[in-house]
Amino acid sequence: MTTMDVEEQLQRMNLTSLDQLGVAMQSQPSQRENLREDQIENSEGGYVWAVNDLNRVRRFLILGTTGGSFYASEKTLTMENAKALIDIIEKGNGALILREIVEISLDGRAPNQNSTLFALALCARSRNHNF
């Protein structure tokens, strides 16, 4: 990046110098600050917006939990997602889960079917068969 490119970028951000950029960056809140009441604490002590159970399940069906994440182990993520699945099924919304499983699977949105098969097994095991 040339000096001219940097100057153009600063102008777009309404800044005149790199010093102003440093001040602007320092004034940004930290992730460890709870900015709004609807934020929750994540596993590393930062604050994030909560994801509802259905969105959590969609992420699980598409991405799975293989290898875990930087912040949580594969086992922890799988258990959290299983709990979200079970909660939805027990509330009588198993048909919604089945619909998501079929759509994600048939659309080829998941790189593998491990999570979809796991979710399908939880649906089959459920005592609530109002699908």
Side-chain angles (χ1 to χ4, degrees):
M1 185 176 267
T2 67
T3 304
M4 183 72 100
D5 293 334
V6 171
E7 289 173 0
E8 287 176 17
Q9 292 290 338
L10 288 171
Q11 285 176 348
R12 282 191 206 126
M13 295 171 19
N14 292 326
L15 302 171
T16 56
S17 71
L18 287 175
D19 290 336
Q20 279 187 327
L21 177 62
V23 170
M25 290 176 68
Q26 287 175 357
S27 66
Q28 297 299 315
S30 164
Q31 184 184 2
R32 296 198 182 272
E33 295 177 48
N34 190 354
L35 300 177
R36 294 178 19 181
E37 288 183 22
D38 58 343
Q39 289 184 304
I40 61 170
E41 190 172 354
N42 67 14
S43 56
E44 278 298 304
Y47 287 90
V48 296
W49 279 269
V51 175
N52 67 33
D53 283 346
L54 182 57
N55 284 334
R56 173 184 284 280
V57 167
R58 284 181 181 137
R59 287 180 184 178
F60 173 64
L61 293 174
I62 295 168
L63 301 173
T65 57
T66 303
S69 72
F70 185 78
Y71 301 108
S73 71
E74 181 176 332
K75 181 179 179 180
T76 300
L77 289 174
T78 301
M79 294 305 291
E80 289 173 356
N81 289 309
K83 182 186 176 312
L85 275 162
I86 291 167
D87 287 347
I88 291 172
I89 293 166
E90 287 180 351
K91 290 176 183 173
N93 294 317
L96 179 63
I97 298 299
L98 288 175
R99 194 168 35 254
E100 290 294 325
I101 290 169
V102 170
E103 284 179 19
I104 289 169
S105 183
L106 293 178
D107 288 347
R109 292 171 30 203
N112 68 54
Q113 297 296 310
N114 293 344
S115 298
T116 52
L117 290 173
F118 179 80
L120 190 58
L122 283 177
C123 288
R125 188 177 180 276
S126 170
R127 292 188 182 133
N128 185 350
H129 291 140
N130 296 330
F131 294 95

